[in-house]
Amino acid sequence: MYETVIGLEVHVELLTSRKIFCSCSNSFGDGINTNCCEICTGLPGAVPVFNEECLEPAIKAGLVLGCRINEVTRFDRKNYFYPDLPKGYQISQLYVPLAVDGSVELKGRTVHIREIHMEDDAAKLMYEDGKTIVDYNRCGVPLAEIVTMPDLTCAEEVVEFLEIIRKDLRAAGVTDGKLEQGSMRVDVNLSVRKPGDPLGTRTEIKNLSSFKAVSKAIEQERNRQIGLIEQGLPVMQQTLGFNEQTYEISVKRTKENSNDYKYFPDPDIPPITVSREMVEAFRRKIPELPSVREKRLVSEYGLRPEDSATLVRSCDLADLFEASSKISRLPAVTLNLILSSIPSEGRLPSPEDLAFVAGLADSGKISSGMAKTILHETTVNGTDPRRYVEEQGFMMITDEDQIRSAVLKVLEDPSNGKAVEDLRNGKDKVLGYLLGKVMRELKGRADPVLARKVLCDNVLQKSDE
Ligand code: ADP
Ligand code: MG
Ligand code: ZN
């Protein structure tokens, strides 16, 4: 049996208006090579200047992931050649990264964050009809690279980790986290070992851009390494590519170490001082994180974790839930109404209006169908639910006699003869049809459970006669 050991390097694009070392626009989807200048395309003699706007999202990333923020941080050159890197080096941070020593709590494990550093993105290469197109718009887009310790042990944990940081970083305004646009890209470092053995040799699978690809790549690479070991072959420290269509792993290069990059402090960019006041000011601007809120809704309102997660996915819904539940003190009913009775086409109801409807629903005065109708009126047509209920006499009819007379009327109506006959012969499918007729008689206000019972009772009675 083998254990899998995984450490991640996650690149997130920072939400800024400009690139990291020049004043080109940092926006996605503009025409190819329209957002470039001599700095981000690395022309000789051009001098990069650090865009301080990057500090806010980058420092927030550190705070969100529980890191300590260094008081002075520096940029270093990482030298290598690739067609997507026109200046021949990446400006990154090796010696004094912005943030260090963080952690993220999963359900069953703590993942330690070794560091978060800032760096510039490379160009985007696109392969078409045997040609390579280089889009330099992405050159110089500010990135935060999040490096974890090798604390993860399987694909499920990795995806859980990525989902948590994606939600929290988005909520804090660090990144838009759009995997499909490359705003979040994952490198998976993976090794296997027998329990108790020292760490095995790892490989690095670069640039995965969906959680599915991450899972598949982990599964494949784990099996590949175990296969090698079982055959008595060594696992080589390599950088791998993963084809997200065919799920094939390919060797890109046999892994370099950091000394292959001849890192040195970038002489163009002075060290950056990060004042404690600045850090605290950014900390105050971070809202309650989704991961924290999910747990709080569970403990404070007794929600199931999956319902809490559904609510928190939309900040507006979670806010509405909390505000309305505080008024009505009916969190379970409120949750139900939010998840099943608010029409998608309208606005959200106010917390007070929702609390009013929750109160009616809880007291049994209205059915869930009526709750839905009232909320539809309120959110789509802007009607005050109190007035609407009053005007419509919109209270559930629970008087059995009143329901019975409607049932009898329906049963005796000759146009329903066939349906009644079918029901008597045990064709339950027509029950809904007849129940609908009864409801129409009572303008949709009959207690649906009672109406069903009275209808069934009467049909059976008649057939006994
Ligand atoms: P490098 O400096 O060569 O990039 P690092 O030590 O920075 O290597 O590690 C890069 C990533 O690889 C980190 O996420 C780390 O957790 C992970 N890692 C390191 N050693 C192993 C290993 N033996 N197995 C799996 N992951 C590892
Ligand atoms: Mg590294
Ligand atoms: Zn530029």
Side-chain angles (χ1 to χ4, degrees), residues 87-118:
K87 47 185 195 322
Y89 59 88
Q90 182 184 30
I91 306 178
S92 183
Q93 302 193 288
L94 178 72
Y95 300 108
V96 200
L98 178 70
V100 294
D101 290 340
S103 65
V104 172
E105 291 300 324
L106 308 189
K107 278 189 223 86
R109 186 179 302 282
T110 303
V111 179
H112 296 90
I113 306 292
R114 197 180 71 196
E115 64 173 68
I116 302 177
H117 57 258
M118 296 180 282

mmCIF file of all heavy atoms in Angstrom, residues 87-118:
data_model
loop_
_atom_site.group_PDB
_atom_site.id
_atom_site.type_symbol
_atom_site.label_atom_id
_atom_site.label_comp_id
_atom_site.label_asym_id
_atom_site.label_seq_id
_atom_site.Cartn_x
_atom_site.Cartn_y
_atom_site.Cartn_z
ATOM 1 N N LYS A 87 11.330 38.810 -21.688
ATOM 2 C CA LYS A 87 12.501 39.447 -21.097
ATOM 3 C C LYS A 87 13.566 38.454 -20.630
ATOM 4 O O LYS A 87 14.661 38.828 -20.254
ATOM 5 C CB LYS A 87 12.146 40.428 -19.986
ATOM 6 C CG LYS A 87 11.173 40.021 -18.941
ATOM 7 C CD LYS A 87 10.890 41.214 -18.009
ATOM 8 C CE LYS A 87 10.197 40.750 -16.724
ATOM 9 N NZ LYS A 87 9.218 39.665 -16.908
ATOM 10 N N GLY A 88 13.266 37.167 -20.716
ATOM 11 C CA GLY A 88 14.271 36.168 -20.344
ATOM 12 C C GLY A 88 14.356 35.908 -18.857
ATOM 13 O O GLY A 88 15.189 35.138 -18.394
ATOM 14 N N TYR A 89 13.537 36.568 -18.094
ATOM 15 C CA TYR A 89 13.447 36.269 -16.656
ATOM 16 C C TYR A 89 12.062 36.642 -16.162
ATOM 17 O O TYR A 89 11.399 37.515 -16.733
ATOM 18 C CB TYR A 89 14.526 37.012 -15.846
ATOM 19 C CG TYR A 89 14.478 38.527 -15.970
ATOM 20 C CD1 TYR A 89 13.688 39.300 -15.113
ATOM 21 C CD2 TYR A 89 15.224 39.195 -16.947
ATOM 22 C CE1 TYR A 89 13.648 40.684 -15.218
ATOM 23 C CE2 TYR A 89 15.184 40.571 -17.067
ATOM 24 C CZ TYR A 89 14.393 41.312 -16.196
ATOM 25 O OH TYR A 89 14.347 42.684 -16.313
ATOM 26 N N GLN A 90 11.645 35.952 -15.116
ATOM 27 C CA GLN A 90 10.391 36.309 -14.457
ATOM 28 C C GLN A 90 10.748 37.110 -13.212
ATOM 29 O O GLN A 90 11.745 36.805 -12.547
ATOM 30 C CB GLN A 90 9.633 35.033 -14.055
ATOM 31 C CG GLN A 90 8.285 35.318 -13.406
ATOM 32 C CD GLN A 90 7.590 34.043 -12.926
ATOM 33 O OE1 GLN A 90 8.246 33.077 -12.555
ATOM 34 N NE2 GLN A 90 6.271 34.054 -12.914
ATOM 35 N N ILE A 91 9.970 38.137 -12.917
ATOM 36 C CA ILE A 91 10.204 38.873 -11.668
ATOM 37 C C ILE A 91 9.315 38.238 -10.608
ATOM 38 O O ILE A 91 8.088 38.314 -10.661
ATOM 39 C CB ILE A 91 9.898 40.373 -11.819
ATOM 40 C CG1 ILE A 91 10.698 40.947 -13.003
ATOM 41 C CG2 ILE A 91 10.249 41.106 -10.524
ATOM 42 C CD1 ILE A 91 10.427 42.424 -13.274
ATOM 43 N N SER A 92 9.964 37.551 -9.665
ATOM 44 C CA SER A 92 9.239 36.792 -8.656
ATOM 45 C C SER A 92 9.837 37.111 -7.291
ATOM 46 O O SER A 92 10.600 38.071 -7.160
ATOM 47 C CB SER A 92 9.356 35.307 -9.009
ATOM 48 O OG SER A 92 8.623 34.528 -8.109
ATOM 49 N N GLN A 93 9.501 36.335 -6.294
ATOM 50 C CA GLN A 93 10.064 36.564 -4.967
ATOM 51 C C GLN A 93 10.565 35.242 -4.426
ATOM 52 O O GLN A 93 9.783 34.330 -4.176
ATOM 53 C CB GLN A 93 8.991 37.098 -4.018
ATOM 54 C CG GLN A 93 8.337 38.375 -4.494
ATOM 55 C CD GLN A 93 7.516 39.008 -3.374
ATOM 56 O OE1 GLN A 93 6.458 38.512 -3.012
ATOM 57 N NE2 GLN A 93 8.040 40.087 -2.801
ATOM 58 N N LEU A 94 11.865 35.112 -4.258
ATOM 59 C CA LEU A 94 12.414 33.875 -3.708
ATOM 60 C C LEU A 94 12.844 34.067 -2.258
ATOM 61 O O LEU A 94 12.485 33.294 -1.386
ATOM 62 C CB LEU A 94 13.609 33.410 -4.538
ATOM 63 C CG LEU A 94 14.283 32.136 -3.990
ATOM 64 C CD1 LEU A 94 13.405 30.911 -4.235
ATOM 65 C CD2 LEU A 94 15.663 31.919 -4.614
ATOM 66 N N TYR A 95 13.635 35.125 -1.995
ATOM 67 C CA TYR A 95 14.290 35.240 -0.689
ATOM 68 C C TYR A 95 13.368 35.807 0.385
ATOM 69 O O TYR A 95 13.357 35.326 1.515
ATOM 70 C CB TYR A 95 15.555 36.091 -0.813
ATOM 71 C CG TYR A 95 16.550 35.485 -1.783
ATOM 72 C CD1 TYR A 95 16.783 36.067 -3.029
ATOM 73 C CD2 TYR A 95 17.225 34.313 -1.460
ATOM 74 C CE1 TYR A 95 17.685 35.498 -3.924
ATOM 75 C CE2 TYR A 95 18.125 33.739 -2.357
ATOM 76 C CZ TYR A 95 18.345 34.336 -3.587
ATOM 77 O OH TYR A 95 19.222 33.768 -4.469
ATOM 78 N N VAL A 96 12.619 36.843 0.064
ATOM 79 C CA VAL A 96 11.724 37.438 1.070
ATOM 80 C C VAL A 96 10.325 37.598 0.483
ATOM 81 O O VAL A 96 9.944 38.665 0.016
ATOM 82 C CB VAL A 96 12.218 38.824 1.560
ATOM 83 C CG1 VAL A 96 11.568 39.151 2.908
ATOM 84 C CG2 VAL A 96 13.730 38.890 1.668
ATOM 85 N N PRO A 97 9.549 36.514 0.493
ATOM 86 C CA PRO A 97 8.199 36.606 -0.085
ATOM 87 C C PRO A 97 7.299 37.506 0.762
ATOM 88 O O PRO A 97 7.623 37.795 1.919
ATOM 89 C CB PRO A 97 7.705 35.163 -0.055
ATOM 90 C CG PRO A 97 8.516 34.487 0.991
ATOM 91 C CD PRO A 97 9.845 35.185 1.028
ATOM 92 N N LEU A 98 6.200 37.927 0.165
ATOM 93 C CA LEU A 98 5.299 38.849 0.863
ATOM 94 C C LEU A 98 4.727 38.254 2.150
ATOM 95 O O LEU A 98 4.638 38.925 3.177
ATOM 96 C CB LEU A 98 4.144 39.215 -0.084
ATOM 97 C CG LEU A 98 3.089 40.143 0.502
ATOM 98 C CD1 LEU A 98 3.657 41.546 0.698
ATOM 99 C CD2 LEU A 98 1.859 40.192 -0.406
ATOM 100 N N ALA A 99 4.307 36.985 2.092
ATOM 101 C CA ALA A 99 3.574 36.410 3.224
ATOM 102 C C ALA A 99 4.072 34.987 3.484
ATOM 103 O O ALA A 99 4.407 34.268 2.533
ATOM 104 C CB ALA A 99 2.077 36.388 2.915
ATOM 105 N N VAL A 100 4.108 34.599 4.738
ATOM 106 C CA VAL A 100 4.615 33.260 5.086
ATOM 107 C C VAL A 100 3.786 32.623 6.207
ATOM 108 O O VAL A 100 3.063 33.322 6.924
ATOM 109 C CB VAL A 100 6.093 33.316 5.554
ATOM 110 C CG1 VAL A 100 7.014 33.728 4.412
ATOM 111 C CG2 VAL A 100 6.254 34.264 6.737
ATOM 112 N N ASP A 101 3.917 31.300 6.311
ATOM 113 C CA ASP A 101 3.395 30.561 7.476
ATOM 114 C C ASP A 101 1.894 30.692 7.704
ATOM 115 O O ASP A 101 1.465 31.081 8.789
ATOM 116 C CB ASP A 101 4.099 31.027 8.774
ATOM 117 C CG ASP A 101 5.535 30.592 8.817
ATOM 118 O OD1 ASP A 101 5.885 29.647 8.081
ATOM 119 O OD2 ASP A 101 6.313 31.208 9.576
ATOM 120 N N GLY A 102 1.101 30.345 6.742
ATOM 121 C CA GLY A 102 -0.352 30.376 6.936
ATOM 122 C C GLY A 102 -0.912 28.977 7.102
ATOM 123 O O GLY A 102 -0.161 27.991 7.190
ATOM 124 N N SER A 103 -2.232 28.884 7.151
ATOM 125 C CA SER A 103 -2.850 27.560 7.199
ATOM 126 C C SER A 103 -4.313 27.640 6.777
ATOM 127 O O SER A 103 -4.944 28.695 6.864
ATOM 128 C CB SER A 103 -2.765 26.976 8.605
ATOM 129 O OG SER A 103 -3.522 27.751 9.488
ATOM 130 N N VAL A 104 -4.806 26.521 6.299
ATOM 131 C CA VAL A 104 -6.216 26.407 5.894
ATOM 132 C C VAL A 104 -6.761 25.131 6.518
ATOM 133 O O VAL A 104 -6.117 24.079 6.438
ATOM 134 C CB VAL A 104 -6.338 26.330 4.349
ATOM 135 C CG1 VAL A 104 -7.760 26.019 3.923
ATOM 136 C CG2 VAL A 104 -5.857 27.628 3.713
ATOM 137 N N GLU A 105 -7.932 25.237 7.151
ATOM 138 C CA GLU A 105 -8.535 24.066 7.796
ATOM 139 C C GLU A 105 -9.472 23.338 6.842
ATOM 140 O O GLU A 105 -10.445 23.908 6.369
ATOM 141 C CB GLU A 105 -9.354 24.495 9.024
ATOM 142 C CG GLU A 105 -8.544 25.020 10.189
ATOM 143 C CD GLU A 105 -7.545 24.003 10.735
ATOM 144 O OE1 GLU A 105 -7.865 22.788 10.746
ATOM 145 O OE2 GLU A 105 -6.437 24.426 11.126
ATOM 146 N N LEU A 106 -9.183 22.090 6.586
ATOM 147 C CA LEU A 106 -10.149 21.254 5.863
ATOM 148 C C LEU A 106 -10.970 20.508 6.899
ATOM 149 O O LEU A 106 -10.727 20.620 8.095
ATOM 150 C CB LEU A 106 -9.414 20.244 4.970
ATOM 151 C CG LEU A 106 -8.365 20.787 4.020
ATOM 152 C CD1 LEU A 106 -7.914 19.686 3.069
ATOM 153 C CD2 LEU A 106 -8.898 21.973 3.233
ATOM 154 N N LYS A 107 -11.935 19.693 6.430
ATOM 155 C CA LYS A 107 -12.758 18.943 7.390
ATOM 156 C C LYS A 107 -11.871 18.079 8.280
ATOM 157 O O LYS A 107 -12.020 18.046 9.479
ATOM 158 C CB LYS A 107 -13.775 18.075 6.649
ATOM 159 C CG LYS A 107 -14.999 18.845 6.243
ATOM 160 C CD LYS A 107 -16.069 17.900 5.707
ATOM 161 C CE LYS A 107 -16.723 18.468 4.464
ATOM 162 N NZ LYS A 107 -16.001 18.155 3.200
ATOM 163 N N GLY A 108 -10.937 17.374 7.646
ATOM 164 C CA GLY A 108 -10.159 16.451 8.464
ATOM 165 C C GLY A 108 -8.677 16.763 8.557
ATOM 166 O O GLY A 108 -7.914 15.882 8.933
ATOM 167 N N ARG A 109 -8.248 17.959 8.204
ATOM 168 C CA ARG A 109 -6.806 18.165 8.121
ATOM 169 C C ARG A 109 -6.468 19.658 8.042
ATOM 170 O O ARG A 109 -7.255 20.433 7.522
ATOM 171 C CB ARG A 109 -6.301 17.486 6.836
ATOM 172 C CG ARG A 109 -4.813 17.469 6.653
ATOM 173 C CD ARG A 109 -4.465 16.746 5.356
ATOM 174 N NE ARG A 109 -4.982 15.374 5.318
ATOM 175 C CZ ARG A 109 -4.426 14.344 5.953
ATOM 176 N NH1 ARG A 109 -3.353 14.515 6.671
ATOM 177 N NH2 ARG A 109 -4.957 13.135 5.857
ATOM 178 N N THR A 110 -5.299 19.998 8.556
ATOM 179 C CA THR A 110 -4.796 21.359 8.388
ATOM 180 C C THR A 110 -3.774 21.365 7.261
ATOM 181 O O THR A 110 -2.887 20.519 7.227
ATOM 182 C CB THR A 110 -4.095 21.832 9.679
ATOM 183 O OG1 THR A 110 -5.022 21.744 10.755
ATOM 184 C CG2 THR A 110 -3.607 23.263 9.540
ATOM 185 N N VAL A 111 -3.946 22.295 6.326
ATOM 186 C CA VAL A 111 -2.958 22.441 5.253
ATOM 187 C C VAL A 111 -2.130 23.685 5.551
ATOM 188 O O VAL A 111 -2.678 24.786 5.692
ATOM 189 C CB VAL A 111 -3.651 22.598 3.879
ATOM 190 C CG1 VAL A 111 -2.604 22.786 2.778
ATOM 191 C CG2 VAL A 111 -4.525 21.389 3.590
ATOM 192 N N HIS A 112 -0.833 23.507 5.694
ATOM 193 C CA HIS A 112 0.030 24.650 5.982
ATOM 194 C C HIS A 112 0.413 25.364 4.692
ATOM 195 O O HIS A 112 0.709 24.721 3.681
ATOM 196 C CB HIS A 112 1.278 24.189 6.737
ATOM 197 C CG HIS A 112 0.933 23.617 8.079
ATOM 198 N ND1 HIS A 112 0.669 22.271 8.270
ATOM 199 C CD2 HIS A 112 0.738 24.217 9.277
ATOM 200 C CE1 HIS A 112 0.335 22.072 9.531
ATOM 201 N NE2 HIS A 112 0.371 23.234 10.168
ATOM 202 N N ILE A 113 0.386 26.675 4.756
ATOM 203 C CA ILE A 113 0.810 27.487 3.615
ATOM 204 C C ILE A 113 2.250 27.898 3.885
ATOM 205 O O ILE A 113 2.530 28.536 4.904
ATOM 206 C CB ILE A 113 -0.061 28.767 3.494
ATOM 207 C CG1 ILE A 113 -1.560 28.432 3.438
ATOM 208 C CG2 ILE A 113 0.376 29.600 2.296
ATOM 209 C CD1 ILE A 113 -2.009 27.728 2.201
ATOM 210 N N ARG A 114 3.146 27.510 2.996
ATOM 211 C CA ARG A 114 4.542 27.882 3.234
ATOM 212 C C ARG A 114 4.752 29.370 2.958
ATOM 213 O O ARG A 114 5.360 30.077 3.737
ATOM 214 C CB ARG A 114 5.469 27.051 2.349
ATOM 215 C CG ARG A 114 6.906 27.089 2.833
ATOM 216 C CD ARG A 114 7.795 26.270 1.937
ATOM 217 N NE ARG A 114 7.953 26.958 0.660
ATOM 218 C CZ ARG A 114 8.421 26.375 -0.441
ATOM 219 N NH1 ARG A 114 8.752 25.101 -0.430
ATOM 220 N NH2 ARG A 114 8.541 27.058 -1.548
ATOM 221 N N GLU A 115 4.216 29.833 1.848
ATOM 222 C CA GLU A 115 4.404 31.249 1.520
ATOM 223 C C GLU A 115 3.441 31.680 0.418
ATOM 224 O O GLU A 115 2.847 30.845 -0.271
ATOM 225 C CB GLU A 115 5.832 31.505 1.019
ATOM 226 C CG GLU A 115 6.115 30.774 -0.300
ATOM 227 C CD GLU A 115 7.472 31.157 -0.884
ATOM 228 O OE1 GLU A 115 8.488 30.780 -0.264
ATOM 229 O OE2 GLU A 115 7.491 31.825 -1.938
ATOM 230 N N ILE A 116 3.290 32.988 0.311
ATOM 231 C CA ILE A 116 2.595 33.574 -0.847
ATOM 232 C C ILE A 116 3.524 34.647 -1.389
ATOM 233 O O ILE A 116 3.975 35.514 -0.642
ATOM 234 C CB ILE A 116 1.256 34.214 -0.444
ATOM 235 C CG1 ILE A 116 0.351 33.176 0.230
ATOM 236 C CG2 ILE A 116 0.567 34.824 -1.667
ATOM 237 C CD1 ILE A 116 -0.968 33.748 0.725
ATOM 238 N N HIS A 117 3.873 34.538 -2.652
ATOM 239 C CA HIS A 117 4.693 35.592 -3.235
ATOM 240 C C HIS A 117 4.026 36.191 -4.462
ATOM 241 O O HIS A 117 3.109 35.612 -5.039
ATOM 242 C CB HIS A 117 6.111 35.086 -3.543
ATOM 243 C CG HIS A 117 6.168 33.901 -4.448
ATOM 244 N ND1 HIS A 117 6.385 32.617 -3.988
ATOM 245 C CD2 HIS A 117 6.031 33.796 -5.786
ATOM 246 C CE1 HIS A 117 6.392 31.785 -5.020
ATOM 247 N NE2 HIS A 117 6.172 32.473 -6.122
ATOM 248 N N MET A 118 4.492 37.393 -4.794
ATOM 249 C CA MET A 118 3.970 38.093 -5.978
ATOM 250 C C MET A 118 4.901 37.814 -7.151
ATOM 251 O O MET A 118 6.108 37.642 -6.961
ATOM 252 C CB MET A 118 3.919 39.606 -5.727
ATOM 253 C CG MET A 118 2.964 40.021 -4.625
ATOM 254 S SD MET A 118 2.963 41.827 -4.383
ATOM 255 C CE MET A 118 4.473 42.059 -3.449
#
